[in-house]
Amino acid sequence: MAELRATGCSDRLITANIVEQIKAVTSLRVTPDGDCAVTGSESNTARVWRLIDGAKVRVLGGHRGEVSTVCVTPNGKHVVTGSNDKTARVWRIDDGAHVRTLEGHLGAVCSVCVTPDGKHVLTGSEDNTARMWRLDDGAHVRMLQCS
């Protein structure tokens, strides 16, 4: 049985022990309400865990490469994952449904974040670019050339 054990919680700092063989955990974020954690892993998936009892709530699968980064929207309704498959994906946290795929990077997506107003996703890639996307429809807004 899979579980995530929260072994220490202080000022939203959570030390957790993941008890399931899912390869290396590459990223970890806590939902704004503090109820769940989202992990990314080398197993090409992200997982949502309930912190009160460590239960695995759901698996977010669909990437074709390691999930190297995860984030949660400020309202706690969506998870964004970034992968070595050069894509980012948006998921609904309540039912795990895949909402959309953000495509355009030429290298692995190694960083994702959502703006504080929850309207945009930013992705960073090994292709030396950062991109901005609208969360509501996935439209590409702009690219920042970082080299």
Side-chain angles (χ1 to χ4, degrees):
M1 180 165 109
E3 61 182 84
L4 179 95
R5 291 189 190 140
T7 56
C9 299
S10 171
D11 194 30
R12 296 207 121 161
L13 174 63
I14 295 174
T15 304
N17 179 28
I18 297 180
V19 184
E20 179 182 284
Q21 183 59 39
I22 58 172
K23 298 189 178 180
V25 173
T26 56
S27 186
L28 171 68
R29 294 293 180 271
V30 175
T31 56
D33 62 11
D35 290 344
C36 293
V38 180
T39 57
S41 79
E42 290 180 344
S43 64
N44 303 354
T45 62
R47 293 163 193 244
V48 180
W49 306 85
R50 194 171 47 234
L51 290 176
I52 192 134
D53 61 4
K56 179 175 62 179
V57 178
R58 63 190 41 85
V59 176
L60 309 175
H63 280 292
R64 295 179 315 277
E66 170 187 320
V67 176
S68 54
T69 181
V70 299
C71 73
V72 180
T73 57
N75 65 8
K77 292 184 178 183
H78 293 92
V79 171
V80 182
T81 56
S83 172
N84 289 353
D85 68 7
K86 305 177 187 175
T87 68
R89 291 179 179 241
V90 180
W91 315 83
R92 281 197 311 259
I93 202 165
D94 63 347
D95 62 4
H98 173 245
V99 177
R100 67 186 46 85
T101 301
L102 307 175
E103 298 179 281
H105 282 292
L106 302 176
V109 175
C110 47
S111 182
V112 294
C113 67
V114 177
T115 57
D117 64 8
K119 292 182 179 181
H120 295 93
V121 174
L122 284 94
T123 56
S125 171
E126 290 180 354
D127 67 6
N128 296 322
T129 67
R131 294 176 181 256
M132 178 184 274
W133 318 80
R134 284 197 309 253
L135 181 64
D136 63 353
D137 64 4
H140 182 256
V141 176
R142 69 181 45 91
M143 180 177 71
L144 308 173
Q145 186 64 47
C146 300
S147 59

